[in-house]
Each structure stands twice: as C-alpha cells, then as structure tokens.
Amino acid sequence: MARVTVVVIVYNDADRLPVAVRSVLDQKHRDVDVVIVDDHSTDGSYQVAQELAGAHPGRVSTFRLPENSGSGGEPRNRGIAEATGEFVMFLDSDDVLEPDAVGLLLAAAGRHDADVATGACLRVELPEGRTSTWAPQLYDVEAGATLPGAVLDGIGAHPEMLWDTLVVNKLYRRDFLVRTGLRFPSGLLYEDFVFTGRLYAARPRMAVIGDPVYRWHVRRDAASLSVSLHRSVVENWQDRVTAHGMVVSDLAGAGLDRLSEDAQTKFLDYDLPMYLRELPQRSTTYRAAWWRITRTHLAGFAADAVGRARPASRWLAAALEQLPEPPAGPDLGRLVELAAVPPRLVPPYQGDAGAPLLVVGKATVPLDGLPELPPERLPIAVEGTVAVGSTVRVTLLVRELYGRLGPLGPRSVRLELAERSGLRPPITAAGPLRPVAGGWAAHVTFPARELAAAGRLASWSVRARVEYDGGEATETEVRAGTGQRTRRDAVLVPPGRVLLVQTHVTPRKALLFRGAGGMDGVRRAVGSARRRLMARC
C-alpha cells in the first residue's frame, strides 16, 4: 500500500482550510499525509495550518512562502519538493476530496502500472448545491464517455483529453514528476493549463476512471473570485491566451505536432466562445483589448487546426479575422448567439441554400459545412414571446434556416424548463407547429404556479426540442422574440396566493424565468434584483 502526499495550497482561506485537510485525513486509504503550503496569507491561514500540523504530527506538515506568488504555481512546486509519498495529489483549500479518492486512483495506477491516474471532478455551485460532472464527455459514462476503464500511453490517440486542464483530479507518481522535471510556471494565472500541457507532452501512461474523486466548490458570491470566475478583467483573458500558447509550444516541442494543432482546435471550440458570449457585459475598452489579443493569437493557428474545429467555431474565427475592430449592437449580438451552447444562427439570413453567408458589419463569412450538418446539429433559432397570467403562454417561432428545415418537415415543438439548482423536476409543454412567414409557430402553455419554490427564488432555463416528420429532432436554447423584454408580473393563483413571475432576457438574448411564491419568496426575489442592480453600478 503506497504512501500518498496531498499538497494543499492556501491563501487567505483560514475558515475553509480545516475542512479541506479533514477530507484528506479521513480518506479510506489511510497511508496519506498532507503538505500545506501557505502563499503568504494575511488572514491567519498559516496559524491555522500550524495548528493542524500540531494536532496531527507525522501526518500534516506546513510551509509558508516568503512572499505572495500571485498564483498557484509556486505553492504547488514547493509542495512537490516537500512531498515524501510515492504518489502526489493536489487540493485547493476551498475544495474537498471524495472519501475514497486516493484509494480509487491508487488502485487504478497500480493495476495498470501507470504514471498518472485521473478521475471525475464534480463541480458544485454554492450555495445552491447544483452539481455536475466537469468534462462529462471524458468521465461520465451516462453522457457517452468511453475512456473510463482505459489506460492511455500518451494522449496522442485521444486528443479529447486536452479538454481536461485540471491538475486536482489526478494522482501522480512522484518519481515520474522528478524524472520529467514537471513543474508549474511561476506567477502565471492558469498555471494548471500549462502543467497539464507539459504532462501530456511527457507522454505518461495514464489510467482513467469514471468515479468522482474531487469536489470543486464554485462560489460566485465570494469576496475573492477564483481565476476561472474572474473573467471581467481583460488580464484574465490575456493570461489564458498566454497559457494556451505555452501548451501549444510545449506539445510541438515534444514532437507532438498533431496534438499541438488539436490544442488550437480545442481553443476554438471551448475557450473562444466561452469568453465571446460574455462580451455584451463588458466595457468598450475591454472589448477592444479582448479583440486585439484574440486576433493576434488566432493569427498563429494552423489551417488544419481551424479546419477540424466545429462549423460555428470556424465561422467565428473567420469573422474575427475579417473584422479589425469589435462590432457593436446587433452585429455583436449575432456573434454572441453563434457562440452559445448550442450555437444559434439568427436572422437576417443572407445568401441562399447553396451558398449561405454570415454577414456581420463588413465581414462576409461563407457558412461552409452548414448544408452537410445533420438535423441534431443544426444551429436553429427558436424565439419565444411570453404572456403571463395564472397560465403562462409562450408563443414559439422556429426560423427557417437557409431551406434546411422545410424538407425535414417540422411537426411539433416541446418546451422544457429546467430549474438551475436541479432541485425541482423539469416543466414541459408541447404544441404542434404550423407554417408562418419565415418559419413555423406554436403556442404552448403551463401553470404559473409550477415556477414557484417555497421560500426561495427559483430560476428556470428554457430549451426547445423541434421534432420533424422523419423522427429527427433539434434541441436549442430559446431566445427572446422580437419585442420581448425583461418584466415582472404578480399573479394571483388559487387559493388566493400571490406569485411573482419574472420573464428575463439575458445579455445573449436567451429567455429564462424566475418564480417566487409567498412573502419570503417575494422578498428574496426583490433582494436578488437589488443585488444585481448594485453589482452593475
């Protein structure tokens, strides 16, 4: 039974550090020790770390950097240097390990004589508790993942592993880290991107399991946001681009040219749209800097890497290449909606079925690949217009898309509302589609009372499933119809209860609902609206 050292890094997180350390000491695999590295905290975190070391002699040791490093790289490097176990893991002070994380990963590494073992990370939104599997296409078998149970000799045959940029869901053989000299960059945000890129460049023998091993706690209301959430400053994007460039360079330097290009493709399919769809919320200065940084970075991409990206990603990259400045108003909105998940092509449509075009400002982008897309991947636009009473009525318009939908025979549309906390079952409503100018329309209804949750504010995302005559279907997020605005309605529902329903339009034009019932729920809804208003001031 091998010894495992878990490196816990902390900065100004005295309250949560003991919980993180306890999740290590309580592992079912008992031969585990903890190295706490404090990044020169100012809140007493180091004192807490010393107390934990005193309470668990031989199992917990602690070290303090002489000055704050500004990122997680240096604390983790110090932890690697101080580790004594045969294997090493990493843990952030505001997260926890699953109870059998060490045992499961250690068993997989031993079974396959692997340098690295990797497992699923659960992403937990706090305080709501909504939980999802990070990178489900890699680790969630129910979502179609096929890698769990496999052992990889390098990831060249599985470039999809590039989507896993986490360092905390893995167990590393310490002599592998020593032999390869694998370390984190200093003073760079997104140091985990660079570390995993260097890891993949070293061609490790890697065992993959689908079991959850790590709980990543996401606190959007925290006084100090994590790197991944602090995207409102353009320096965050610059650091991400810099880290990505280092990954591409490291893979190419290791002779993995195809994998280096695959990293560029992943950037187009994931990183680029994630930030682009937030541009309407950013200042003019931010947009200009973001646009310049992005165009410079994309100019170095290989043509083959761009060609392997998803069609919507290729169209976005082409628009960026043609536009020296960020567009504004509806033109920016069209790019933002194309960056949605799934992507949406919204009117006006130019060109024809044989040569469809995306026209944004002075950019004219041929929509190559659109005619060949299967029905389930079509970037359709479904618009919703809402009327609220005791029954909520949604008028849905499915837009024709360069003649692709007509031959499929749109037959019906199914609306699905999912509560974002995951605590309530979905609300569904369906209706037949009828031809109208520019597409097909339907009316669907559901009781307003289903939107409310006792004593709290419930938020609902809205999706539509368009079904065709041949049994195929396309699913997409519902966007706000022409003239639809954010509004609140007070509804009286039997037996004499007041329900507050908000129809909300997001910056990327997506439609969602919020519902609150009873005085407690109404107060929470009003308080939430006030906090959002203050955050924008």
Side-chain angles (χ1 to χ4, degrees), residues 3 25 30-34 52-61 84:
R3 186 171 182 84
L25 299 178
R30 302 304 299 170
D31 198 2
V32 181
D33 71 296
V34 181
L52 289 166
H56 304 281
R59 296 199 69 192
V60 178
S61 57
T84 58

Side-chain angles (χ1 to χ4, degrees), residues 419 421 423-424 449-460 497-499 515-525:
E419 202 211 346
S421 71
L423 300 176
R424 298 279 302 281
R449 65 175 180 273
E450 295 188 7
L451 293 171
R456 63 183 179 88
L457 179 65
S459 295
W460 304 81
R497 292 192 303 119
V498 175
L499 171 66
M519 291 309 298
D520 285 345
V522 171
R523 278 194 294 269
R524 288 175 182 269

Side-chain angles (χ1 to χ4, degrees), residues 514-534:
R514 294 189 178 102
M519 291 309 298
D520 285 345
V522 171
R523 278 194 294 269
R524 288 175 182 269
V526 172
S528 176
R530 184 181 296 115
R531 286 192 296 273
R532 287 193 299 273
L533 179 61
M534 293 296 291

Side-chain angles (χ1 to χ4, degrees), residues 76-341:
R76 288 186 179 127
N77 286 341
R78 178 64 183 274
I80 294 172
E82 300 293 346
T84 58
E86 183 180 343
F87 290 87
V88 177
M89 290 184 69
F90 301 107
L91 173 63
D92 291 347
S93 61
D94 55 347
D95 299 329
V96 295
L97 294 181
E98 289 290 284
D100 200 19
V102 172
L104 291 169
L105 291 171
L106 194 58
R111 189 161 53 246
H112 299 289
D113 192 25
D115 304 306
V116 179
T118 182
C121 170
L122 299 180
R123 191 175 187 274
V124 185
E125 298 266 0
L126 297 175
E128 295 88 353
R130 182 163 57 115
T131 301
S132 58
T133 300
W134 192 83
Q137 74 275 24
L138 303 179
Y139 295 104
D140 187 350
V141 175
E142 293 184 1
T146 59
L147 287 179
V151 59
L152 314 178
D153 287 306
I155 68 165
H158 294 278
E160 65 270 25
M161 280 301 300
L162 289 166
W163 287 67
D164 182 3
T165 56
L166 296 182
V167 301
V168 291
N169 61 334
K170 297 174 178 62
L171 175 88
Y172 309 85
R173 196 178 292 273
R174 187 162 62 91
D175 68 0
F176 171 79
L177 298 179
V178 172
R179 175 168 31 93
T180 58
L182 192 59
R183 293 297 184 271
F184 292 86
S186 299
L188 177 72
L189 301 181
Y190 295 106
E191 73 286 342
D192 46 352
F193 283 28
V194 179
F195 186 88
T196 53
R198 292 172 177 174
L199 171 69
Y200 297 145
R203 299 178 175 88
R205 183 171 176 83
M206 180 182 301
V208 183
I209 65 174
D211 303 85
V213 297
Y214 194 91
R215 283 189 175 259
W216 172 16
H217 291 148
V218 179
R219 297 175 173 87
R220 296 186 183 276
D221 58 351
S224 178
L225 292 176
S226 66
V227 170
S228 61
L229 296 179
H230 201 207
R231 298 200 293 261
S232 61
V233 294
V234 77
E235 290 80 8
N236 181 286
W237 178 240
Q238 179 63 77
D239 278 348
R240 192 180 189 103
V241 166
T242 299
H244 179 259
M246 293 173 71
V247 170
V248 171
S249 177
D250 287 340
L251 291 171
L256 300 170
D257 293 338
R258 173 59 188 261
L259 202 58
S260 177
E261 291 181 0
D262 287 332
Q264 293 178 329
T265 301
K266 178 262 179 184
F267 182 90
L268 292 172
D269 284 338
Y270 180 72
D271 304 77
L272 174 66
M274 178 171 62
Y275 279 72
L276 195 152
R277 57 180 174 258
E278 295 178 349
L279 285 186
Q281 306 167 53
R282 309 302 182 215
S283 68
T284 302
T285 302
Y286 176 104
R287 293 179 197 172
W290 186 94
W291 206 261
R292 174 183 51 78
I293 293 166
T294 306
R295 279 169 49 86
T296 301
H297 189 51
L298 296 186
F301 277 31
D304 287 345
V306 177
R308 290 194 292 271
R310 296 167 184 166
S313 304
R314 299 199 303 268
W315 305 334
L316 288 172
L320 272 156
E321 180 183 8
Q322 293 185 35
L323 294 170
E325 302 291 338
D331 282 335
L332 177 60
R334 298 191 74 205
L335 295 181
V336 167
E337 295 201 60
L338 192 55
V341 182

